[in-house]
Amino acid sequence: MKEIIRGSLLIFIVSIGLLLFNMKLNAGTSSASKDTITVYNWGEYIDPQLLKKFEQDTGIKVVYETFDSNEGMMSKIEQGGTAYDISMPSEYMIEMMVEKDLLLPIDYEKIPNAKNIDPYFLNLSFDPMNTYSLPYFWGTLGIAYNASLLDGQTFESWDDLWNPTLAQQIVLVDSARESIGMSLNSLGYSLNSTKLEELEEATEKLKMLIPNVKAIIGDEVTQLMINEEAAVSLTWSGQAADMMSENENIDYIVPEEGSNLWFDNMVIPRTAKNIEGAHAFINFMLAADVAAANADYVGYATPNAAALSLMDKEVVGDERFYPDEASRDHLEVYRNLGLDMLGHYNELFLTFKMNLN
């Protein structure tokens, strides 16, 4: 009987110990979540000094992780393994994340710096009323080229990429929407086309570009162009700005047929553990001086009207990177085409890539 009592007492003591340990652990986790935010962003897409400044100003530590595709980002947030407090998806992905109930609405009482945003970049189709997102950067997709490697050749049209003199000279970004979209635009079609015959035609035309394609890669394109290991690239405006800052022979254009006008935006995933901290981070990034410093560092166009007056007038006056409203009229924003159609784009792009080998 005594052995039973001793055993029961031991079990009781161990149970109480485990309970107290778990309470302490949970308390520590709760405290940590209030003192930390986890930010999930594109690679090389923020000034690291601003993260330090945010930590100093607020006392909130920033855990910073990066992704290289919208689809990969959404998949990881959907899985819920990491409690991200902030992320920066593109416009069509915000539509998809809202459909999947992956985002929390923004409390504008906690974002007074939202007043700094140019109204042109608000209330857009992918998030009417900006219920779930606020703009971070914007830009275009176009052609970066080094005329000194091309006997002075310049570009005005997407069709210029098919010039046979460009054999093994072009680098494409590893993205179905961009590469197939470029081919769609070259044919006069919408880069949001869901017509199967148009997509097949665009893919067949893309295959005709294969002799000119040197590689299909990601962020490495910037250094390849700077080092003059490639002469032409399909690239985003901010990447082109980085190239041009390091190599004066490089120029950037948006072809006359039109192209993509894109927006990356700050959102609060439903997985967020520090919602107060997330709002504090968004408000911090929208301060005029912070937005100006971030744009100077990253090279992409800021939607923050208050920041423009603090920036180099030559930079914000360069219509290659800050096109006026009239120029934007012939550009298209990516729309959410649905998972099935997005899968079809990816299959077509994979078929194209397999033909490179």
Side-chain angles (χ1 to χ4, degrees):
M1 184 69 175
K2 288 181 181 178
E3 294 300 323
I4 293 174
I5 293 174
R6 286 195 192 102
S8 299
L9 185 59
L10 180 61
I11 292 170
F12 175 75
I13 292 170
V14 171
S15 298
I16 291 295
L18 288 171
L19 178 62
L20 291 173
F21 176 78
N22 285 330
M23 289 174 64
K24 182 177 180 181
L25 182 63
N26 290 334
T29 301
S30 176
S31 174
S33 68
K34 292 180 181 178
D35 297 335
T36 304
I37 61 168
T38 302
V39 177
Y40 199 26
N41 198 0
W42 297 90
E44 300 181 5
Y45 210 35
I46 198 168
D47 182 347
Q49 295 303 315
L50 294 177
L51 297 178
K52 293 179 182 178
K53 178 172 170 50
F54 174 78
E55 291 178 335
Q56 292 167 355
D57 289 356
T58 65
I60 300 173
K61 180 184 176 183
V62 177
V63 177
Y64 193 79
E65 294 187 21
T66 63
F67 57 86
D68 58 11
S69 75
N70 277 295
E71 289 71 26
M73 175 274 305
M74 186 182 75
S75 177
K76 196 166 182 183
I77 287 176
E78 196 170 15
Q79 290 168 5
T82 301
Y84 294 110
D85 298 294
I86 292 285
S87 190
M88 281 76 162
S90 302
E91 61 295 307
Y92 73 95
M93 187 53 62
I94 289 174
E95 287 188 77
M96 296 181 71
M97 295 178 82
V98 170
E99 287 178 3
K100 289 175 171 285
D101 194 27
L102 295 177
L103 301 179
L104 294 175
I106 291 173
D107 183 349
Y108 279 87
E109 290 187 3
K110 298 174 182 175
I111 315 285
N113 286 332
K115 68 181 186 296
N116 292 335
I117 299 171
D118 184 335
Y120 177 89
F121 301 105
L122 297 173
N123 300 319
L124 299 176
S125 60
F126 58 87
D127 185 17
M129 306 304 293
N130 290 92
T131 303
Y132 300 98
S133 67
L134 280 166
Y136 181 63
F137 280 122
W138 68 280
T140 57
L141 180 76
I143 301 170
Y145 64 95
N146 187 327
S148 70
L149 302 178
L150 300 169
D151 295 325
Q153 179 180 343
T154 59
F155 295 80
E156 295 180 0
S157 166
W158 287 118
D159 280 337
D160 292 331
L161 294 175
W162 276 261
N163 189 321
T165 64
L166 297 178
Q168 287 290 296
Q169 297 277 18
I170 300 173
V171 176
L172 299 180
V173 293
D174 192 7
S175 172
R177 290 299 297 266
E178 277 69 24
S179 295
I180 293 179
M182 171 268 290
S183 190
L184 284 166
N185 275 163
S186 75
L187 292 164
Y189 302 143
S190 167
L191 51 75
N192 291 305
S193 177
T194 58
K195 297 179 180 178
L196 297 184
E197 63 274 16
E198 292 182 356
L199 291 171
E200 290 293 339
E201 186 180 352
T203 304
E204 289 305 310
K205 182 171 182 178
L206 201 56
K207 289 177 183 177
M208 295 170 62
L209 186 65
I210 286 175
N212 290 357
V213 177
K214 179 183 181 72
I216 300 176
I217 53 179
D219 290 337
E220 306 94 320
V221 64
T222 303
Q223 207 57 48
L224 279 179
M225 291 291 292
I226 290 171
N227 295 342
E228 300 191 341
E229 296 175 59
V232 185
S233 66
L234 175 67
T235 192
W236 295 281
S237 50
Q239 275 189 320
D242 287 343
M243 297 171 192
M244 293 165 62
S245 69
E246 298 292 330
N247 189 323
E248 62 183 10
N249 294 321
I250 297 173
D251 201 353
Y252 174 77
I253 66 104
V254 175
E256 58 193 8
E257 299 95 335
S259 186
N260 172 227
L261 177 67
W262 57 261
F263 303 93
D264 288 335
N265 311 265
M266 294 180 284
V267 301
I268 304 175
R270 190 163 287 281
T271 57
K273 297 296 184 184
N274 189 349
I275 297 172
E276 289 290 324
H279 281 88
F281 184 82
I282 293 174
N283 193 56
F284 172 81
M285 295 306 300
L286 293 180
D289 59 334
V290 172
N294 203 29
D296 284 339
Y297 180 88
V298 175
Y300 283 98
T302 177
N304 194 307
L308 298 180
S309 62
L310 305 177
M311 297 173 62
D312 187 327
K313 288 182 174 56
E314 288 190 13
V315 172
V316 299
D318 190 336
E319 292 195 1
R320 291 172 297 181
F321 306 107
Y322 283 86
D324 59 24
E325 288 193 37
S327 300
R328 297 175 212 155
D329 285 344
H330 72 298
L331 304 177
E332 286 185 273
V333 176
Y334 286 137
R335 298 187 60 189
N336 171 22
L337 303 180
L339 288 175
D340 289 344
M341 184 54 65
L342 181 61
H344 187 57
Y345 268 73
N346 289 333
E347 288 173 7
L348 292 173
F349 188 51
L350 180 59
T351 299
F352 162 69
K353 290 198 291 185
M354 290 175 62
N355 277 273
L356 283 172
N357 301 326

